[in-house]
């Protein structure tokens, strides 16, 4: 599947060392003001080479919109776009042509298709997430019209973690440091850990927290299209993601129902809840409270140190990868998490428009 969504849909194409990455967004509401600077800034947050703790690859990642916009506004027609690849070092991957990187998609792609692009991982490369960030930026512009805001931040790298409660932090400070963490002291420790890991040729994972505010009640389907299931599927489709939880998640299993239930309150005639252990979703449908979730990322599979593996003939060998790779994917994955959340919420909102009058 190269298409995401039901009404708001993204179809992506391209490989990391091909001519370009691109996509087509269908279902974008008409009349939305398209801010090209905002789209580019979202790509800048994802692009490589933005700090010393990310890959040294330098790409401008300039987006070109090909259709679907007239006089600065969306027309309701498909929005086609491309981002040209300009800084490929394909020779860096020559030693991967006949070997499989441990825990990478190299082996599974070759088994599924009988062929794989060894240059940077081809279609399995995290560079493909460019298309998600473009579509996510478009979704954010549409959501802004109805007062919905999406934010994400790094909440854990390795063993270094900040408090789980997002309300304790000023989320406007996320972009103030290279790791995109709203706790300045913990951010410095995270950066130091990534530097140590990078210097040893190793990699490390962590957790990104997402927060959606202003979401109205009623989004999501009651059975197989539950809102949290849609968010989970979106997040688990991101490269290197290994886990998803929302609300109290796994931590909530130790609580009693009397501690976990979100009691209802009346606030000047509006229904609200005293707490939000549910994470803004009940019965698979949004309840109007903040939606918050956590996404676990594994360490990047490509190590700049020797590993045991096998070649395409099944012969055991060793591999030391070359090239420019992220020691930790989290800083650049923050805008990708936001993009997938924004697309999911907009899609659910548009689907909900057809359920009542």
């Amino acid at each position: 599947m190269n298409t995401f969504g039901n009404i708001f849909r993204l179809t992506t194409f391209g490989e990391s060392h091909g001519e370009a990455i691109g996509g087509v967004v269908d279902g974008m509401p008409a009349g939305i003001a398209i801010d090209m600077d905002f789209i580019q800034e979202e790509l800048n947050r994802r692009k490589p080479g933005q700090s010393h703790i990310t890959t040294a690859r330098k790409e401008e990642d300039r987006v070109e919109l090909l259709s679907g916009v007239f006089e600065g506004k969306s027309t309701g027609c498909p929005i086609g776009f491309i981002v040209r690849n300009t800084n490929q070092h394909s020779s860096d991957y020559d030693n991967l042509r006949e070997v499989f990187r441990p825990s990478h998609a190299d082996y599974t792609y070759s088994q599924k298709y009988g062929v794989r692009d060894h240059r940077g991982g081809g279609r399995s490369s995290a560079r493909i997430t460019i298309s998600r960030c473009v579509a996510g930026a478009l979704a954010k512009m549409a959501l802004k019209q109805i007062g919905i805001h999406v934010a994400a931040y790094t909440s854990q790298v390795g063993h270094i973690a900040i408090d789980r409660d997002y309300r304790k932090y000023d989320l406007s400070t996320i972009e103030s440091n290279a790791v995109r963490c709203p706790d300045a002291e913990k951010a410095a420790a995270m950066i130091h850990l990534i530097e140590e890991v990078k210097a040893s040729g190793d990699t490390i994972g962590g957790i990104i927290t997402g927060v959606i505010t202003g979401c109205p009640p009623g989004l999501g389907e009651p059975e197989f299209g539950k809102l949290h299931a849609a968010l989970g599927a979106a997040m688990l489709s991101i490269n290197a993601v290994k886990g998803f939880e929302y609300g109290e998640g796994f931590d909530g299993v130790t609580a009693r129902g009397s501690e976990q239930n979100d009691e209802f309150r009346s606030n000047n005639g509006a229904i609200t809840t005293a707490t939000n252990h549910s994470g803004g979703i009940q019965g698979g449908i949004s309840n109007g409270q903040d939606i918050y979730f956590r996404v676990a990322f594994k360490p990047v599979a490509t190590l700049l140190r020797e590993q045991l593996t096998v070649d395409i003939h099944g012969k055991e060998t060793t591999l030391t990868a070359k090239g420019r790779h992220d020691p930790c994917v989290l800083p650049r994955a923050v805008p990708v998490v936001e993009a997938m959340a924004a697309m999911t919420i907009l899609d659910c909102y548009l689907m909900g428009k057809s359920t009542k009058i």
Side-chain angles (χ1 to χ4, degrees):
M1 294 293 291
N2 296 297
T3 299
F4 173 85
N6 299 281
I7 295 179
F8 182 88
R9 298 188 300 276
L10 166 68
T11 299
T12 73
F13 64 84
E15 295 83 33
S16 61
H17 285 235
E19 290 298 318
I21 305 297
V24 176
V25 171
D26 203 0
M28 178 71 176
I32 303 297
I34 303 300
D35 185 342
M36 289 299 299
D37 290 338
F38 176 72
I39 298 175
Q40 189 58 55
E41 181 55 35
E42 292 295 273
L43 286 181
N44 292 346
R45 297 172 68 210
R46 192 224 69 93
K47 75 178 183 180
Q50 58 185 280
S51 77
H52 69 286
I53 60 171
T54 64
T55 172
R57 177 172 175 166
K58 295 290 185 180
E59 290 276 5
E60 287 301 312
D61 287 355
R62 306 302 301 183
V63 62
E64 303 172 41
L65 297 190
L66 306 177
S67 62
V69 179
F70 178 67
E71 294 183 340
K73 292 187 176 181
S74 58
T75 64
C77 297
I79 299 177
F81 63 88
I82 60 170
V83 175
R84 300 182 188 278
N85 295 326
T86 61
N87 191 232
Q88 308 100 312
H89 288 183
S90 298
S91 61
D92 287 345
Y93 298 89
D94 285 348
N95 66 326
L96 300 180
R97 182 180 291 274
E98 294 193 347
V99 298
F100 300 121
R101 283 171 285 181
S103 290
H104 198 279
D106 290 340
Y107 174 72
T108 52
Y109 265 57
S110 68
Q111 292 301 296
K112 181 175 179 64
Y113 298 107
V115 63
R116 70 178 173 98
D117 184 348
H118 68 281
R119 306 166 304 165
R123 187 71 175 153
S124 69
S125 170
R127 185 157 178 76
I128 307 305
T129 58
I130 284 175
S131 297
R132 301 176 185 224
C133 287
V134 174
L138 293 170
K140 284 183 178 182
M141 292 178 204
L143 291 175
K144 185 178 180 180
Q145 303 298 307
I146 51 178
I148 300 176
H149 180 261
V150 178
Y153 59 89
T154 298
S155 53
Q156 184 169 340
V157 173
H159 65 281
I160 302 171
I162 65 175
D163 195 287
R164 286 175 60 102
D165 189 349
Y166 67 93
R167 297 170 298 178
K168 294 183 178 181
Y169 301 101
D170 179 1
L171 301 190
S172 68
T173 66
I174 293 169
E175 297 296 317
S176 64
N177 56 72
V179 78
R180 296 195 163 92
C181 173
D183 184 314
E185 183 176 340
K186 288 293 180 69
M190 292 175 181
I191 291 171
H192 181 66
L193 176 58
I194 295 172
E195 290 171 339
E196 288 184 341
V197 168
K198 180 181 179 181
S200 67
D202 214 334
T203 62
I204 197 164
I207 294 173
I208 289 176
T209 296
V211 182
I212 304 168
T213 57
C215 188
L219 302 192
E221 304 303 316
E223 186 63 12
F224 299 112
K226 296 180 187 295
L227 180 54
H228 58 267
L231 282 169
M235 298 306 148
L236 289 164
S237 74
I238 301 172
N239 309 57
V241 169
K242 286 294 186 180
F244 169 83
E245 64 176 2
Y246 73 102
E248 293 296 315
F250 287 100
D251 279 2
V253 302
T254 60
R256 304 290 177 91
S258 56
E259 300 170 311
Q260 187 77 2
N261 283 353
D262 296 317
E263 296 182 346
F264 288 108
R265 298 285 190 270
S266 179
N267 183 12
N268 296 322
I271 296 177
T272 185
T273 57
T275 55
N276 189 20
H277 300 297
S278 300
I281 302 172
Q282 293 171 330
I285 301 172
S286 63
N287 66 5
Q289 304 303 304
D290 291 350
I291 297 171
Y292 60 96
F293 56 88
R294 286 155 51 90
V295 186
F297 286 78
K298 71 170 185 174
V300 175
T302 305
L303 309 185
L304 300 182
R305 60 195 298 177
E306 187 174 89
Q307 297 183 88
L308 295 175
T309 187
V310 298
D311 62 21
I312 59 175
H313 307 292
K315 180 181 178 181
E316 292 185 355
T317 184
T318 60
L319 165 68
T320 300
K322 303 175 183 178
R324 302 159 295 175
H325 306 280
D326 285 294
C328 178
V329 74
L330 273 78
R332 296 175 58 214
V334 165
V336 182
V337 167
E338 290 181 2
M340 296 308 297
M343 285 192 285
T344 300
I345 294 298
L346 178 58
D347 192 38
C348 288
Y349 178 83
L350 295 174
M351 290 175 66
K353 299 293 284 186
S354 64
T355 62
K356 63 181 180 181
I357 58 174

